[in-house]
Amino acid sequence: MAITLVNPNGLPEIDAYRQVSIATGSKLVFIAGQVAWDADGVNVGEGDLAAQVEQCYVNIGTALAAAGASFDDVAKLTVYVVDWTPDKMPLLMEGLGRAAAKLGVTATPPASLLGVAALDVPDHLVEIEATAVID
């Protein structure tokens, strides 16, 4: 495996992700920001942040598989949430949990969460991009 995830001493341990990703592979995979579209381009979970987060992760899983990678190879995630407020965290974690269960993975690479005013389509509440490293 090309990715080792760690929580170093001296940094807080966060349940949702690890603080550091150490990559040793030779091939980088950059996944474009994924939104809650299904394979037919239909928006999933209109108005439902948890459902949209779940679909974003499912889409990332599909993209990773196409590159010969998996969530074990993800070095970094960036999550963009429209009109972010901390009270939305339970919905974000619910969607992540449902996606992890559906995909059979533990998605804990380092992540950044950014609140944004809007995304490309008004119905999109979240967009998630990923960077993976594979041998």
Side-chain angles (χ1 to χ4, degrees), residues 8 16 51 73-74 86 108:
D73 301 307
V74 174
T108 58

Side-chain angles (χ1 to χ4, degrees), residues 80-103:
Y80 304 91
V81 181
V82 174
D83 296 327
W84 173 257
T85 55
D87 64 312
K88 293 181 180 178
M89 184 59 85
L91 292 171
L92 186 100
M93 296 307 294
E94 177 186 335
L96 173 59
R98 291 191 327 221
K102 182 182 279 185
L103 297 167

Side-chain angles (χ1 to χ4, degrees), residues 42-106:
V42 175
N43 197 46
V44 173
E46 186 171 338
D48 183 343
L49 180 60
Q52 289 198 15
V53 167
E54 179 181 0
Q55 185 64 44
C56 290
Y57 275 95
V58 168
N59 291 350
I60 290 169
T62 300
L64 288 167
S70 73
F71 272 99
D72 289 337
D73 301 307
V74 174
K76 175 79 166 62
L77 293 168
T78 305
V79 181
Y80 304 91
V81 181
V82 174
D83 296 327
W84 173 257
T85 55
D87 64 312
K88 293 181 180 178
M89 184 59 85
L91 292 171
L92 186 100
M93 296 307 294
E94 177 186 335
L96 173 59
R98 291 191 327 221
K102 182 182 279 185
L103 297 167
V105 301
T106 303

Side-chain angles (χ1 to χ4, degrees), residues 17-64:
Y17 62 88
R18 301 298 175 261
Q19 294 282 11
V20 177
S21 175
I22 303 165
T24 59
S26 58
K27 183 191 256 183
L28 297 175
V29 180
F30 298 94
I31 309 289
Q34 295 299 303
V35 294
W37 281 330
D38 66 11
D40 296 320
V42 175
N43 197 46
V44 173
E46 186 171 338
D48 183 343
L49 180 60
Q52 289 198 15
V53 167
E54 179 181 0
Q55 185 64 44
C56 290
Y57 275 95
V58 168
N59 291 350
I60 290 169
T62 300
L64 288 167

